[in-house]
């Protein structure tokens, strides 16, 4: 392709020279000719940079080269906004991280687990020590075993619980969402935050600048005047122009007094209460956690906050990490990933979890655009006789992503997977359960964007009761779904096949 571009450039330049000699070209045509030549040369150099300097995987490289080749002017702009790699150096810093003893605790847990001297409070947890070690080694994800976990699948119940906990906050409230809308639900939360700020509770809100594109700090003027703090993650330098638009903080975290934590798929907006006619009922999964796992959630928030804050960094304080009495017996690791990581932490956790399944694998995701390693792992599980079930929504919120999803699940149906199309509204949950023993819930979708580009966070759960409850919720959702059989998939229209093909080609950069 690059040779072809060089040849095209040569032809354009040669033609321009001939026209000048003959005197048959005016100045405007000459400028246009050289502009086209410049664009082609720029595309060539950009393609060379993609191949030899940035060292991306082959599928992503070819996807970008296709865009640059077919839409050379617009494609260059798209690349500047969405294709540039993120500078990772010193992206997340917080000196207090060492002060809370995380490094020493991780070393202790690793040594004890590897020496078979670790005190696993439940036998089920010990079955997953390889996965636990991987998260400890590569993500500094401390294992906690004293947690109580409450599962929410309905937005109204989740936000009723959250509002109740916010109203009872005593010291601080830390809120982080990818999408935060100041609609009816957002205003409801905001009114509670104003009341708590008036009582002296320290309130901090962190939102993603692209996910919450209509939100500005000035919308929180009253809260800021009361001492609250608000920050935007990776804000745009100029209106509508953000060179880091491709790297978004997709995490949803709430920490209250360092004792109660929330993590999962719900953002803040009326659509998450099922009030948007386009989506209807919003089916998601969110966790309310009490126990020591709240401390790693707090650490994640503080790291993200200090990255976004220019003037109001958070210093270490014991008040953020209070001693928490034992609340339960659920084993948990809070695992985060993003473009700042050397490894694809959550994706690797997904793969390891799937590889450890003996009986069944249940997956719920709104977007299913896996890479080759993920597809191979699921295909092998299917061919090994493991009951693999995947549930996706019946309607798109991103059209290209939806048809790419349809393409990939079709491959797995052929291998023996059962695919369910959720019909009771929009399915947004990100969940994997295996064997009624281990599970994960969080913000990471099963797609390349969540694996490599977005900042994500998931809870990996090692508990039979919690995992069984999640599996039962999946089976209840099956009753509200239709089965996508191999026969139905084969009989899809040519129009759908064409959409799949285009979306599949672009899937590495969706």
């Amino acid at each position: 392709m690059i040779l072809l571009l060089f040849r095209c450039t040569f032809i354009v330049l040669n033609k321009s020279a001939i026209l000048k000699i003959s005197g048959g070209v005016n100045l405007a045509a000459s400028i246009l000719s050289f502009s086209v030549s410049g664009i082609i040369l720029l595309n060539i150099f950009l393609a060379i940079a993609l191949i030899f300097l940035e060292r991306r995987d082959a599928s992503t490289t070819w996807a970008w080269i296709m865009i640059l080749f077919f839409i050379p002017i617009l494609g260059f702009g798209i690349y500047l906004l969405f294709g540039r790699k993120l500078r990772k150096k010193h992206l997340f810093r917080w000196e207090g991280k060492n002060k809370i003893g995380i490094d020493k605790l991780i070393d202790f847990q690793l040594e004890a687990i590897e020496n078979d001297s670790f005190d696993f409070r439940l036998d089920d947890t010990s079955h997953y020590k390889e996965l636990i070690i991987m998260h400890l080694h590569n993500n500094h994800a401390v294992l906690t075993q004293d947690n109580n976990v409450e599962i929410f699948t309905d937005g109204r119940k989740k936000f009723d619980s959250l509002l109740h906990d916010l109203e009872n906050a005593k010291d601080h409230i830390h809120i982080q969402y990818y999408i935060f809308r100041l609609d009816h639900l957002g205003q409801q939360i905001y009114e509670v935050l104003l009341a708590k700020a008036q009582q002296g509770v320290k309130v901090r809100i962190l939102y993603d600048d692209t996910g919450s594109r209509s939100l500005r700090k000035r919308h929180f003027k009253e809260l800021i005047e009361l001492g609250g703090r608000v920050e935007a993650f990776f804000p745009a330098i100029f209106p509508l122009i953000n060179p880091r638009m491709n790297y978004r903080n997709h995490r949803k975290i709430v920490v209250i007094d360092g004792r109660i934590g929330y993590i999962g798929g719900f953002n803040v907006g009326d659509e998450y209460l099922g009030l948007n006619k386009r989506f209807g009922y919003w089916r998601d999964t969110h966790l309310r956690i009490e126990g020591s796992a709240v401390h790693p959630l707090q650490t994640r928030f503080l790291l993200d906050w200090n990255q976004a804050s220019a003037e109001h960094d958070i210093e270490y304080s014991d008040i953020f990490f209070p001693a928490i009495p034992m609340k339960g017996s659920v084993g948990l690791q809070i695992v985060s990933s993003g473009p700042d990581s050397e490894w694809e932490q959550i994706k690797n956790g997904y793969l390891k979890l799937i590889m450890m399944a003996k009986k069944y694998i249940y997956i719920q995701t709104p977007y299913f655009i896996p890479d080759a390693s993920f597809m191979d792992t699921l295909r092998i599980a299917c061919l090994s006789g493991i009951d693999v079930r995947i549930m996706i929504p019946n309607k798109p919120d991103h059209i290209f992503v939806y048809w790419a999803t349809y393409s990939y699940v079709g491959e797995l149906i052929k291998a023996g997977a059962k695919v369910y199309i959720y019909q009771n509204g929009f399915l947004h949950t990100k969940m994997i359960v295996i064997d009624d023993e281990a599970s994960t819930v969080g913000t990471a979708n099963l797609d390349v964007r969540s694996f490599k580009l977005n900042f994500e966070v998931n809870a990996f759960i090692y508990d039979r009761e919690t995992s069984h409850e999640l599996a039962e919720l999946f089976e209840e959702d099956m009753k509200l779904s239709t089965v996508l059989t191999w026969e139905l998939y084969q009989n899809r229209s040519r129009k759908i096949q064409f959409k799949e093909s285009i979306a599949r080609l672009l899937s590495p950069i969706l």
Side-chain angles (χ1 to χ4, degrees), residues 94-294:
W94 183 49
E95 297 303 323
K97 188 177 180 183
N98 293 327
K99 294 180 183 178
I100 60 174
I102 286 179
D103 290 341
K104 290 182 180 179
L105 180 57
I106 288 166
D107 291 341
F108 168 78
Q109 289 194 347
L110 280 170
E111 184 177 354
I113 293 173
E114 290 169 351
N115 293 334
D116 292 324
S117 60
F118 189 82
D119 180 22
F120 287 107
R121 295 178 184 170
L122 297 175
D123 291 337
D124 295 340
T125 308
S126 64
H127 296 163
Y128 297 91
K129 68 178 184 179
E130 292 177 4
L131 176 57
I132 292 167
I133 287 172
M134 184 182 76
H135 287 321
L136 279 166
H137 261 306
N138 301 322
N139 199 242
H140 289 182
V142 173
L143 173 66
T144 60
Q145 302 184 92
D146 61 347
N147 303 288
N148 179 68
V149 175
E150 186 175 359
I151 302 168
F152 295 100
T153 61
D154 178 82
R156 293 183 183 276
K157 292 180 180 179
K158 180 258 178 174
F159 285 107
D160 283 347
S161 175
L162 177 62
L163 286 165
H164 177 266
D165 287 333
L166 293 175
E167 288 168 353
N168 287 284
K170 300 293 189 293
D171 181 80
H172 63 271
I173 295 170
H174 291 161
I175 291 181
Q176 176 177 355
Y177 281 101
Y178 173 64
I179 296 173
F180 195 111
R181 304 191 200 283
L182 283 174
D183 50 16
H184 176 73
L185 174 62
Q187 285 290 345
Q188 212 177 345
I189 293 172
Y190 187 48
E191 291 299 324
V192 173
L193 297 179
L194 286 174
K196 300 310 293 185
Q198 288 174 335
Q199 295 170 18
V201 174
K202 297 175 182 65
V203 177
R204 296 178 178 91
I205 300 174
L206 176 61
Y207 64 90
D208 184 84
D209 188 67
T210 297
S212 307
R213 60 180 59 87
S214 62
L215 201 61
R216 298 291 182 270
K217 286 186 182 180
R218 66 176 182 271
H219 295 145
F220 297 97
K221 181 181 177 182
E222 294 173 274
L223 179 64
I224 294 171
E225 288 175 349
L226 289 169
R229 298 288 179 236
V230 179
E231 297 290 352
F233 190 89
F234 281 3
I237 299 173
F238 304 105
L240 303 178
I241 299 176
N242 191 337
R244 296 181 292 186
M245 185 180 292
N246 209 32
Y247 304 101
R248 306 319 314 169
N249 198 317
H250 197 236
R251 295 166 182 150
K252 295 97 177 167
I253 296 171
V254 177
V255 178
I256 301 166
D257 294 339
R259 299 176 182 275
I260 298 171
Y262 285 81
I263 179 176
F266 283 108
N267 288 292
V268 175
D270 287 349
E271 65 266 40
Y272 302 98
L273 301 179
L275 299 178
N276 187 310
K277 292 181 180 179
R278 176 188 170 195
F279 296 112
Y281 180 74
W282 192 279
R283 168 65 173 90
D284 221 321
T285 304
H286 220 93
L287 306 179
R288 179 186 184 273
I289 300 171
E290 287 186 279
S292 296
V294 177

Side-chain angles (χ1 to χ4, degrees), residues 71-90:
I71 43 176
I73 299 175
L74 182 59
F76 179 67
I78 293 172
Y79 174 78
L80 289 178
L81 287 176
F82 297 100
R84 297 169 64 199
K85 282 195 171 182
L86 184 68
R87 294 183 63 184
K88 303 176 184 179
K89 189 177 181 181
H90 304 312

